[in-house]
Amino acid sequence: MSGLRRPTRRSAGRVFRDRREAGDVLAQMLTTYRDENDVLVLGLARGGVPVGWPVARALGAPLDVFLVRKLGVPQWHELAMGALASGGGVVINDSLVRSLGISDDQMQDVIERETDELHRRERAYRGDRPPVDMADKIVILVDDGIATGASMLAAVRAVRAGAPSAVVVAVPVGPPSTCRELATEADDVVCATMPSRFEAVGQVYEDFHQVTDDEVRELLTTPTV
């Protein structure tokens, strides 16, 4: 299935009760992968794991967690200048970095700090269990939504380094422009709803509570196969 490019699918007015329902909807849109061998579902921590669990269950596939950390601008951490993913994948917004005059040393400090936090969270979620082997697998990357797409782009590029047969992005919501951009990097992009007036991921959820580490750990130990 490598090299596949499919149109992004959408229903612009959809609203989800919670992340679990969003995952059920995505699962219905991913049925083409149900009979495929070697499918692996990776939920981006933390919000992507409760969306990814019903997807993995419906497809009869294993679920694991994939870590992505935002690289915040020094002194203004909420503004992302890039993202860092498990396995070392990094995406940098070069134009933003140049416009703010961020030095190489400042960038390296942020990367090192977020790398330490990424490794800490991986240990917290996975314990001593090593990351799953992605070689020759159809990897479905799931999150609870995308905005700028920097985190998902970092995830796609990091997963590519694991030599999968295909990389699929599956999200309940995202702006049309971001979904189209991701379609140039992933083999398939499934976005359940793309509001014409996108404001935030939470706008399509009735319940958009902050997912806890305990929720992630519980779902990772709940069988999907």
Side-chain angles (χ1 to χ4, degrees), residues 54-149:
V55 170
R57 180 187 58 182
L59 300 183
L63 171 72
D64 205 348
V65 64
F66 197 80
L67 274 292
V68 178
R69 294 290 298 172
K70 177 177 67 178
L71 299 175
V73 170
Q75 311 304 321
W76 194 4
H77 301 307
E78 291 305 309
L79 178 60
M81 59 181 176
L84 170 75
S86 294
V90 179
V91 172
I92 301 296
N93 185 334
D94 293 321
S95 61
L96 179 64
V97 169
R98 284 194 301 269
S99 67
L100 295 178
I102 298 169
S103 69
D104 290 343
D105 287 344
Q106 288 176 307
M107 175 65 70
Q108 192 59 40
D109 285 344
V110 174
I111 290 175
E112 289 178 0
R113 182 174 65 250
E114 294 301 337
T115 297
D116 289 343
E117 177 61 16
L118 186 147
H119 290 163
R120 185 196 69 78
R121 291 198 178 196
E122 284 186 322
R123 289 190 297 270
Y125 298 146
R126 192 178 283 117
D128 294 329
R129 181 170 55 86
V132 292
D133 181 12
M134 294 182 281
D136 300 320
K137 290 184 170 61
I138 299 171
V139 177
I140 302 178
L141 284 165
V142 180
D143 205 354
D144 54 11
I146 52 176
T148 67

Coordinates of all heavy atoms in Angstrom, one line a residue, residues 54-149:
P54 N -10.5 2.6 20.4 CA -11.6 2.0 19.6 C -11.2 1.7 18.1 O -11.8 0.8 17.5 CB -12.7 3.0 19.7 CG -12.1 4.2 20.2 CD -10.9 3.9 20.9
V55 N -10.3 2.5 17.6 CA -9.8 2.2 16.2 C -9.1 0.9 16.2 O -9.3 0.0 15.3 CB -8.9 3.4 15.7 CG1 -8.2 3.0 14.4 CG2 -9.7 4.7 15.6
A56 N -8.2 0.7 17.1 CA -7.4 -0.5 17.2 C -8.3 -1.7 17.4 O -8.2 -2.8 16.8 CB -6.3 -0.4 18.3
R57 N -9.3 -1.6 18.3 CA -10.2 -2.7 18.6 C -11.0 -3.1 17.4 O -11.2 -4.2 17.0 CB -11.2 -2.3 19.7 CG -12.2 -3.4 20.1 CD -13.2 -2.8 21.1 NE -13.9 -1.7 20.6 CZ -14.8 -1.0 21.2 NH1 -15.1 -1.3 22.5 NH2 -15.4 0.1 20.7
A58 N -11.5 -2.1 16.6 CA -12.3 -2.3 15.4 C -11.5 -3.0 14.3 O -12.1 -3.8 13.6 CB -13.0 -1.0 14.9
L59 N -10.3 -2.6 14.2 CA -9.4 -3.2 13.2 C -8.7 -4.5 13.6 O -8.0 -5.1 12.8 CB -8.4 -2.1 12.8 CG -8.9 -0.8 12.2 CD1 -7.7 0.1 11.8 CD2 -9.9 -1.0 11.1
G60 N -8.9 -4.8 14.9 CA -8.2 -6.0 15.3 C -6.7 -5.9 15.3 O -5.9 -6.8 15.0
A61 N -6.2 -4.7 15.7 CA -4.8 -4.3 15.6 C -4.3 -3.9 17.0 O -5.1 -3.5 17.9 CB -4.6 -3.1 14.7
P62 N -3.0 -4.1 17.3 CA -2.4 -3.7 18.5 C -2.4 -2.1 18.6 O -2.3 -1.4 17.6 CB -1.0 -4.3 18.5 CG -0.7 -4.5 17.1 CD -2.0 -4.8 16.4
L63 N -2.4 -1.6 19.8 CA -2.3 -0.2 20.1 C -1.1 0.1 20.9 O -0.8 -0.6 21.9 CB -3.6 0.3 20.9 CG -3.5 1.7 21.4 CD1 -3.7 2.7 20.3 CD2 -4.6 1.9 22.5
D64 N -0.4 1.1 20.6 CA 0.8 1.6 21.4 C 0.7 3.1 21.4 O -0.1 3.7 20.7 CB 2.1 1.1 20.8 CG 3.2 1.0 21.9 OD1 3.0 1.6 23.0 OD2 4.2 0.4 21.7
V65 N 1.5 3.7 22.2 CA 1.6 5.1 22.4 C 2.7 5.7 21.6 O 3.8 5.0 21.5 CB 1.7 5.5 23.9 CG1 3.0 5.0 24.5 CG2 1.5 7.0 24.1
F66 N 2.6 6.9 21.1 CA 3.6 7.6 20.4 C 3.7 9.0 21.0 O 2.7 9.7 21.1 CB 3.3 7.6 18.9 CG 4.6 8.0 18.0 CD1 5.5 7.0 17.7 CD2 4.8 9.2 17.6 CE1 6.6 7.2 17.0 CE2 5.9 9.5 16.8 CZ 6.8 8.5 16.5
L67 N 4.9 9.4 21.3 CA 5.1 10.6 22.0 C 5.6 11.7 21.1 O 6.5 11.5 20.2 CB 6.2 10.5 23.1 CG 5.8 10.0 24.5 CD1 4.9 11.0 25.2 CD2 5.1 8.7 24.4
V68 N 5.0 12.9 21.2 CA 5.4 14.1 20.5 C 5.4 15.3 21.5 O 4.4 15.4 22.2 CB 4.4 14.4 19.3 CG1 4.8 15.7 18.6 CG2 4.4 13.3 18.3
R69 N 6.4 16.1 21.4 CA 6.5 17.2 22.3 C 6.7 18.5 21.5 O 7.5 18.6 20.6 CB 7.8 17.1 23.2 CG 7.7 15.9 24.2 CD 6.7 16.2 25.3 NE 7.0 17.3 26.1 CZ 6.2 17.9 27.0 NH1 5.0 17.3 27.2 NH2 6.6 18.9 27.7
K70 N 5.9 19.5 21.9 CA 6.0 20.8 21.3 C 7.3 21.4 21.7 O 7.7 21.4 22.8 CB 4.8 21.7 21.7 CG 4.8 23.1 21.2 CD 3.6 23.8 21.6 CE 3.6 24.1 23.1 NZ 2.4 24.9 23.5
L71 N 7.9 22.1 20.7 CA 9.1 22.9 21.0 C 8.7 24.4 21.1 O 8.4 25.0 20.1 CB 10.2 22.8 19.9 CG 10.7 21.3 19.7 CD1 11.6 21.3 18.4 CD2 11.4 20.8 20.9
G72 N 8.6 24.8 22.4 CA 8.1 26.2 22.6 C 9.1 27.2 22.5 O 10.3 27.0 22.8
V73 N 8.7 28.4 22.0 CA 9.7 29.5 21.9 C 10.1 29.9 23.3 O 9.4 30.0 24.2 CB 8.9 30.7 21.2 CG1 9.8 32.0 21.3 CG2 8.6 30.4 19.8
P74 N 11.5 30.2 23.5 CA 12.0 30.6 24.8 C 11.2 31.9 25.2 O 11.0 32.8 24.4 CB 13.4 30.9 24.5 CG 13.8 30.1 23.3 CD 12.5 30.0 22.5
Q75 N 10.8 31.9 26.5 CA 10.1 33.0 27.1 C 8.7 33.1 26.7 O 8.0 34.0 27.1 CB 10.8 34.3 26.9 CG 12.3 34.3 27.2 CD 12.6 33.9 28.6 OE1 11.9 34.2 29.6 NE2 13.7 33.1 28.8
W76 N 8.3 32.2 25.8 CA 6.9 32.2 25.3 C 6.5 30.8 24.9 O 6.3 30.5 23.7 CB 6.8 33.2 24.1 CG 5.3 33.5 23.7 CD1 4.2 33.2 24.4 CD2 4.9 34.3 22.6 NE1 3.1 33.7 23.7 CE2 3.5 34.4 22.6 CE3 5.6 35.0 21.6 CZ2 2.8 35.1 21.7 CZ3 4.9 35.6 20.6 CH2 3.5 35.7 20.7
H77 N 6.4 29.9 25.9 CA 6.4 28.5 25.7 C 5.1 28.0 24.9 O 5.2 26.9 24.3 CB 6.5 27.8 27.0 CG 7.8 28.1 27.7 ND1 9.1 28.0 27.1 CD2 8.0 28.5 29.0 CE1 10.0 28.3 28.0 NE2 9.4 28.7 29.1
E78 N 4.1 28.8 25.0 CA 2.8 28.4 24.3 C 2.9 28.5 22.8 O 2.2 27.8 22.1 CB 1.6 29.2 24.8 CG 1.3 28.9 26.3 CD 1.0 27.4 26.5 OE1 0.2 26.8 25.7 OE2 1.6 26.8 27.4
L79 N 3.9 29.3 22.3 CA 4.0 29.4 20.9 C 5.0 28.4 20.4 O 6.2 28.3 20.8 CB 4.6 30.8 20.5 CG 4.9 31.1 19.1 CD1 3.6 30.9 18.2 CD2 5.5 32.5 18.9
A80 N 4.5 27.5 19.5 CA 5.4 26.4 19.0 C 6.3 26.8 17.9 O 5.8 27.4 16.9 CB 4.5 25.2 18.6
M81 N 7.6 26.5 18.0 CA 8.5 26.8 16.9 C 8.8 25.5 16.2 O 9.7 25.4 15.3 CB 9.7 27.5 17.4 CG 10.5 26.7 18.4 SD 12.0 27.7 18.9 CE 12.6 26.6 20.2
G82 N 8.2 24.4 16.7 CA 8.5 23.1 16.1 C 7.9 22.0 17.0 O 7.2 22.2 17.9
A83 N 8.3 20.7 16.6 CA 7.9 19.6 17.4 C 9.0 18.5 17.4 O 9.7 18.4 16.4 CB 6.6 19.1 16.9
L84 N 9.0 17.7 18.4 CA 9.9 16.6 18.6 C 9.1 15.3 18.8 O 8.2 15.3 19.6 CB 10.8 16.9 19.7 CG 11.8 15.7 20.2 CD1 12.9 15.6 19.3 CD2 12.3 16.1 21.6
A85 N 9.5 14.2 18.1 CA 8.7 13.0 18.2 C 9.6 11.8 18.7 O 10.9 11.9 18.6 CB 8.1 12.6 16.9
S86 N 9.0 10.8 19.2 CA 9.7 9.6 19.6 C 10.6 9.1 18.4 O 10.2 9.2 17.2 CB 8.7 8.4 19.9 OG 8.0 8.7 21.0
G87 N 11.8 8.7 18.7 CA 12.7 8.2 17.7 C 13.5 9.3 17.1 O 14.4 9.1 16.3
G88 N 13.3 10.6 17.6 CA 14.2 11.7 17.2 C 13.7 12.5 16.1 O 14.4 13.4 15.7
G89 N 12.5 12.3 15.6 CA 12.0 13.1 14.5 C 11.8 14.6 15.0 O 11.2 14.8 16.0
V90 N 12.3 15.6 14.2 CA 12.1 17.0 14.6 C 11.6 17.7 13.4 O 12.0 17.6 12.3 CB 13.5 17.6 15.0 CG1 13.3 19.0 15.4 CG2 14.0 16.8 16.2
V91 N 10.6 18.6 13.7 CA 10.1 19.6 12.7 C 10.3 21.0 13.2 O 9.9 21.2 14.3 CB 8.6 19.3 12.3 CG1 8.1 20.4 11.4 CG2 8.5 17.9 11.7
I92 N 10.9 21.8 12.4 CA 11.2 23.2 12.9 C 10.5 24.2 11.9 O 10.6 24.0 10.7 CB 12.7 23.5 12.9 CG1 13.4 22.5 13.9 CG2 13.0 25.0 13.4 CD1 13.0 22.6 15.3
N93 N 9.9 25.2 12.5 CA 9.3 26.3 11.7 C 10.4 27.3 11.5 O 10.6 28.3 12.3 CB 8.1 26.9 12.5 CG 7.4 28.0 11.7 OD1 8.0 28.6 10.8 ND2 6.1 28.2 12.0
D94 N 11.1 27.2 10.4 CA 12.3 28.0 10.2 C 12.0 29.5 10.1 O 12.8 30.3 10.5 CB 13.0 27.5 8.9 CG 13.7 26.1 9.1 OD1 14.2 25.8 10.2 OD2 13.6 25.3 8.1
S95 N 10.9 29.8 9.4 CA 10.5 31.2 9.2 C 10.3 31.9 10.6 O 10.7 33.0 10.8 CB 9.4 31.3 8.3 OG 8.2 30.7 8.8
L96 N 9.6 31.2 11.5 CA 9.3 31.7 12.8 C 10.6 31.9 13.6 O 10.8 32.9 14.3 CB 8.4 30.8 13.6 CG 8.0 31.2 15.0 CD1 7.2 32.5 15.0 CD2 7.1 30.2 15.7
V97 N 11.5 30.9 13.5 CA 12.7 30.9 14.2 C 13.6 32.1 13.8 O 14.1 32.9 14.6 CB 13.5 29.6 14.1 CG1 15.0 29.7 14.6 CG2 12.8 28.5 14.8
R98 N 13.6 32.3 12.5 CA 14.4 33.5 11.9 C 13.7 34.8 12.3 O 14.4 35.7 12.7 CB 14.4 33.4 10.4 CG 15.4 32.3 9.9 CD 15.7 32.5 8.4 NE 14.4 32.5 7.6 CZ 14.0 31.3 7.1 NH1 14.6 30.2 7.3 NH2 12.9 31.3 6.4
S99 N 12.4 34.9 12.3 CA 11.7 36.2 12.6 C 11.9 36.6 14.0 O 11.9 37.7 14.4 CB 10.3 36.1 12.2 OG 9.6 35.2 13.0
L100 N 12.0 35.6 14.9 CA 12.2 35.9 16.4 C 13.6 35.9 16.8 O 13.9 36.2 18.0 CB 11.4 34.8 17.2 CG 9.9 34.8 17.0 CD1 9.3 33.7 17.8 CD2 9.3 36.1 17.4
G101 N 14.5 35.6 15.9 CA 16.0 35.7 16.2 C 16.4 34.7 17.2 O 17.3 34.9 18.0
I102 N 15.8 33.5 17.1 CA 16.2 32.4 18.1 C 17.5 31.8 17.7 O 17.7 31.4 16.5 CB 15.1 31.4 18.1 CG1 13.8 32.0 18.6 CG2 15.5 30.2 19.0 CD1 12.6 31.1 18.5
S103 N 18.5 31.8 18.6 CA 19.8 31.3 18.3 C 19.8 29.8 18.3 O 19.0 29.1 18.8 CB 20.8 31.8 19.3 OG 20.6 31.2 20.6
D104 N 20.9 29.2 17.7 CA 21.1 27.8 17.7 C 21.2 27.2 19.1 O 20.7 26.1 19.4 CB 22.4 27.4 16.9 CG 22.2 27.7 15.4 OD1 21.1 27.8 14.9 OD2 23.2 27.7 14.7
D105 N 21.9 28.0 20.0 CA 22.0 27.5 21.4 C 20.7 27.4 22.1 O 20.4 26.5 22.8 CB 23.0 28.4 22.1 CG 24.4 28.2 21.7 OD1 24.7 27.2 21.1 OD2 25.3 29.1 22.1
Q106 N 19.8 28.5 21.8 CA 18.5 28.5 22.4 C 17.7 27.3 21.9 O 17.0 26.6 22.7 CB 17.8 29.8 22.1 CG 18.3 31.0 22.9 CD 17.6 32.3 22.5 OE1 17.6 32.6 21.3 NE2 17.1 33.0 23.4
M107 N 17.8 27.0 20.6 CA 17.1 25.9 20.0 C 17.5 24.6 20.6 O 16.7 23.7 21.0 CB 17.3 25.9 18.5 CG 16.7 24.7 17.8 SD 14.9 24.7 17.9 CE 14.5 26.1 16.8
Q108 N 18.8 24.4 20.7 CA 19.4 23.2 21.3 C 18.9 23.0 22.7 O 18.6 21.8 23.1 CB 20.9 23.2 21.2 CG 21.5 21.8 21.4 CD 21.0 20.7 20.5 OE1 20.8 21.0 19.3 NE2 20.8 19.5 21.0
D109 N 18.9 24.0 23.5 CA 18.4 23.9 24.9 C 17.0 23.4 25.0 O 16.7 22.6 25.8 CB 18.5 25.3 25.6 CG 20.0 25.7 25.9 OD1 20.9 24.8 25.9 OD2 20.2 26.9 26.2
V110 N 16.1 24.0 24.1 CA 14.7 23.5 24.1 C 14.6 22.1 23.7 O 13.9 21.3 24.3 CB 13.9 24.4 23.2 CG1 12.5 23.9 23.1 CG2 13.9 25.9 23.7
I111 N 15.4 21.7 22.6 CA 15.3 20.3 22.2 C 15.8 19.4 23.2 O 15.2 18.3 23.5 CB 16.1 20.2 20.9 CG1 15.5 20.9 19.7 CG2 16.4 18.7 20.5 CD1 16.3 20.9 18.4
E112 N 16.9 19.7 23.9 CA 17.4 18.8 25.0 C 16.4 18.7 26.1 O 16.2 17.6 26.6 CB 18.7 19.3 25.5 CG 19.9 19.2 24.5 CD 21.2 19.7 25.0 OE1 21.2 20.3 26.1 OE2 22.2 19.7 24.2
R113 N 15.8 19.8 26.5 CA 14.8 19.7 27.6 C 13.6 18.9 27.3 O 13.1 18.1 28.0 CB 14.4 21.2 28.0 CG 13.4 21.2 29.2 CD 13.1 22.6 29.6 NE 12.4 23.4 28.6 CZ 12.9 24.4 27.9 NH1 14.2 24.8 28.1 NH2 12.2 25.0 27.0
E114 N 13.1 19.1 26.1 CA 11.9 18.4 25.6 C 12.2 16.9 25.4 O 11.3 16.0 25.5 CB 11.2 19.0 24.4 CG 10.7 20.4 24.7 CD 9.6 20.4 25.8 OE1 9.0 19.3 26.0 OE2 9.4 21.4 26.4
T115 N 13.4 16.6 24.9 CA 13.8 15.2 24.7 C 13.8 14.5 26.1 O 13.4 13.3 26.2 CB 15.2 15.1 24.1 OG1 15.2 15.7 22.8 CG2 15.7 13.7 24.0
D116 N 14.4 15.1 27.1 CA 14.3 14.5 28.5 C 12.9 14.2 28.9 O 12.6 13.2 29.5 CB 15.0 15.4 29.5 CG 16.5 15.5 29.3 OD1 17.1 14.6 28.6 OD2 17.2 16.5 29.8
E117 N 12.0 15.2 28.7 CA 10.6 15.0 29.1 C 9.9 13.9 28.3 O 9.1 13.1 28.8 CB 9.8 16.3 29.0 CG 8.4 16.2 29.3 CD 8.1 15.8 30.7 OE1 9.0 15.9 31.6 OE2 6.9 15.4 31.0
L118 N 10.3 13.9 27.0 CA 9.7 12.8 26.1 C 10.1 11.4 26.6 O 9.3 10.5 26.7 CB 10.1 13.0 24.7 CG 9.5 12.1 23.6 CD1 9.4 12.9 22.3 CD2 10.4 10.9 23.4
H119 N 11.4 11.3 27.0 CA 11.9 10.0 27.5 C 11.2 9.6 28.8 O 10.9 8.5 29.1 CB 13.4 10.0 27.6 CG 14.1 10.0 26.3 ND1 15.4 10.4 26.1 CD2 13.6 9.7 25.0 CE1 15.8 10.3 24.9 NE2 14.7 9.9 24.2
R120 N 11.0 10.6 29.7 CA 10.4 10.4 31.0 C 9.0 9.9 30.8 O 8.5 8.9 31.4 CB 10.4 11.7 31.8 CG 9.8 11.5 33.2 CD 9.4 12.8 33.8 NE 8.3 13.4 33.2 CZ 7.0 13.0 33.5 NH1 6.8 12.0 34.3 NH2 6.0 13.6 32.9
R121 N 8.2 10.5 29.8 CA 6.9 10.1 29.6 C 6.8 8.7 29.0 O 5.9 7.9 29.2 CB 6.1 11.1 28.7 CG 5.9 12.4 29.5 CD 4.8 13.2 28.8 NE 4.6 14.5 29.5 CZ 3.5 15.2 29.3 NH1 2.6 14.9 28.5 NH2 3.4 16.3 30.0
E122 N 7.8 8.4 28.1 CA 7.8 7.1 27.5 C 8.0 6.0 28.6 O 7.3 5.0 28.5 CB 8.9 7.0 26.4 CG 8.6 7.7 25.1 CD 9.6 7.4 24.1 OE1 10.8 7.4 24.4 OE2 9.3 7.3 22.9
R123 N 8.8 6.3 29.5 CA 9.0 5.3 30.6 C 7.8 5.2 31.5 O 7.4 4.1 31.9 CB 10.2 5.7 31.5 CG 11.6 5.6 30.8 CD 12.7 5.7 31.8 NE 12.7 7.1 32.3 CZ 13.4 8.1 31.8 NH1 14.1 8.0 30.7 NH2 13.4 9.3 32.4
A124 N 7.1 6.3 31.7 CA 5.9 6.3 32.5 C 4.8 5.5 31.9 O 4.0 4.8 32.5 CB 5.4 7.8 32.7
Y125 N 4.6 5.6 30.5 CA 3.6 4.9 29.8 C 3.9 3.5 29.5 O 3.1 2.6 29.5 CB 3.2 5.7 28.5 CG 2.7 7.1 28.7 CD1 3.0 8.1 27.8 CD2 2.0 7.4 29.8 CE1 2.6 9.4 27.9 CE2 1.5 8.7 30.0 CZ 1.8 9.7 29.0 OH 1.4 11.0 29.2
R126 N 5.2 3.3 29.1 CA 5.5 1.9 28.6 C 6.3 1.1 29.6 O 6.4 -0.1 29.4 CB 6.4 2.2 27.3 CG 6.6 0.9 26.5 CD 7.3 1.2 25.2 NE 6.5 1.8 24.2 CZ 6.7 3.0 23.7 NH1 7.7 3.7 24.1 NH2 5.9 3.5 22.8
G127 N 6.9 1.7 30.6 CA 7.7 1.0 31.6 C 9.0 0.5 30.9 O 9.6 1.2 30.1
D128 N 9.3 -0.8 31.1 CA 10.5 -1.4 30.5 C 10.2 -2.0 29.1 O 11.0 -2.5 28.5 CB 11.0 -2.5 31.4 CG 11.6 -1.9 32.7 OD1 12.0 -0.7 32.7 OD2 11.5 -2.6 33.7
R129 N 8.9 -1.9 28.7 CA 8.5 -2.5 27.4 C 9.1 -1.7 26.3 O 8.8 -0.5 26.2 CB 7.0 -2.6 27.3 CG 6.5 -3.2 26.0 CD 5.0 -3.4 26.1 NE 4.3 -2.2 26.5 CZ 3.8 -1.3 25.6 NH1 4.1 -1.5 24.3 NH2 3.2 -0.3 26.0
P130 N 9.8 -2.3 25.3 CA 10.4 -1.5 24.2 C 9.3 -1.1 23.3 O 8.3 -1.7 23.2 CB 11.4 -2.5 23.6 CG 10.8 -3.8 23.9 CD 10.2 -3.7 25.3
P131 N 9.6 0.0 22.5 CA 8.7 0.4 21.4 C 8.4 -0.8 20.4 O 9.3 -1.6 20.2 CB 9.4 1.6 20.7 CG 10.4 2.0 21.7 CD 10.8 0.8 22.5
V132 N 7.3 -0.8 19.9 CA 6.9 -1.8 18.9 C 7.7 -1.6 17.6 O 8.1 -0.5 17.2 CB 5.4 -1.9 18.6 CG1 4.6 -2.3 19.8 CG2 5.0 -0.5 18.1
D133 N 7.9 -2.7 16.9 CA 8.6 -2.7 15.7 C 7.7 -2.3 14.6 O 6.6 -2.8 14.4 CB 9.2 -4.1 15.3 CG 9.9 -4.2 14.0 OD1 10.3 -3.1 13.5 OD2 10.2 -5.3 13.6
M134 N 8.0 -1.2 13.8 CA 7.2 -0.7 12.8 C 7.5 -1.1 11.4 O 6.8 -0.8 10.4 CB 7.2 0.9 12.9 CG 6.6 1.4 14.1 SD 6.6 3.3 14.2 CE 8.3 3.6 14.6
A135 N 8.6 -1.9 11.3 CA 9.1 -2.3 9.9 C 8.0 -3.1 9.2 O 7.4 -4.1 9.8 CB 10.3 -3.1 10.1
D136 N 7.7 -2.7 8.0 CA 6.8 -3.4 7.1 C 5.4 -3.4 7.6 O 4.5 -4.2 7.1 CB 7.3 -4.8 6.8 CG 8.7 -4.9 6.2 OD1 8.9 -4.0 5.3 OD2 9.5 -5.7 6.6
K137 N 5.0 -2.6 8.5 CA 3.7 -2.5 9.0 C 2.9 -1.3 8.4 O 3.5 -0.3 8.1 CB 3.6 -2.4 10.5 CG 4.1 -3.7 11.2 CD 4.0 -3.6 12.7 CE 4.2 -4.9 13.4 NZ 5.5 -5.5 13.2
I138 N 1.6 -1.4 8.4 CA 0.8 -0.2 8.1 C 0.5 0.5 9.4 O -0.2 0.0 10.3 CB -0.6 -0.6 7.5 CG1 -0.3 -1.4 6.1 CG2 -1.5 0.6 7.2 CD1 -1.6 -2.0 5.6
V139 N 1.2 1.6 9.6 CA 1.1 2.4 10.9 C 0.0 3.4 10.7 O 0.1 4.3 9.9 CB 2.4 3.0 11.2 CG1 2.3 3.8 12.5 CG2 3.5 1.9 11.4
I140 N -1.0 3.4 11.6 CA -2.0 4.4 11.7 C -1.8 5.3 12.8 O -1.9 4.9 14.0 CB -3.4 3.7 11.7 CG1 -3.6 2.8 10.5 CG2 -4.5 4.8 11.8 CD1 -5.0 2.0 10.6
L141 N -1.5 6.5 12.6 CA -1.2 7.5 13.6 C -2.5 8.3 13.9 O -3.1 8.8 13.1 CB -0.2 8.5 13.1 CG 1.3 8.1 13.1 CD1 2.1 9.0 12.3 CD2 1.8 8.0 14.5
V142 N -2.9 8.2 15.2 CA -4.2 8.8 15.6 C -4.0 9.8 16.7 O -3.2 9.7 17.6 CB -5.1 7.7 16.2 CG1 -6.4 8.3 16.7 CG2 -5.3 6.5 15.2
D143 N -4.6 11.0 16.5 CA -4.7 12.0 17.5 C -6.1 12.5 17.7 O -7.0 12.1 16.9 CB -3.8 13.2 17.2 CG -3.3 13.9 18.4 OD1 -3.8 13.6 19.5 OD2 -2.5 14.8 18.3
D144 N -6.4 13.3 18.7 CA -7.8 13.7 18.9 C -8.1 14.9 18.1 O -9.2 15.4 18.0 CB -8.0 14.0 20.4 CG -7.1 15.0 21.0 OD1 -6.3 15.6 20.3 OD2 -7.1 15.2 22.3
G145 N -7.1 15.4 17.3 CA -7.3 16.5 16.3 C -6.0 17.2 16.0 O -5.0 16.9 16.7
I146 N -6.0 18.0 15.0 CA -4.8 18.7 14.6 C -5.2 20.2 14.4 O -6.3 20.5 14.0 CB -4.1 18.1 13.3 CG1 -5.2 18.0 12.2 CG2 -3.5 16.8 13.6 CD1 -4.6 17.5 10.9
A147 N -4.2 21.0 14.6 CA -4.4 22.5 14.3 C -3.3 22.9 13.3 O -3.6 22.9 12.1 CB -4.3 23.3 15.6
T148 N -2.1 23.2 13.8 CA -1.1 23.6 12.8 C -0.5 22.3 12.1 O 0.0 22.4 11.0 CB 0.1 24.3 13.5 OG1 0.7 23.3 14.4 CG2 -0.4 25.5 14.3
G149 N -0.6 21.2 12.8 CA -0.1 19.9 12.2 C 1.3 19.6 12.4 O 1.8 18.6 12.0

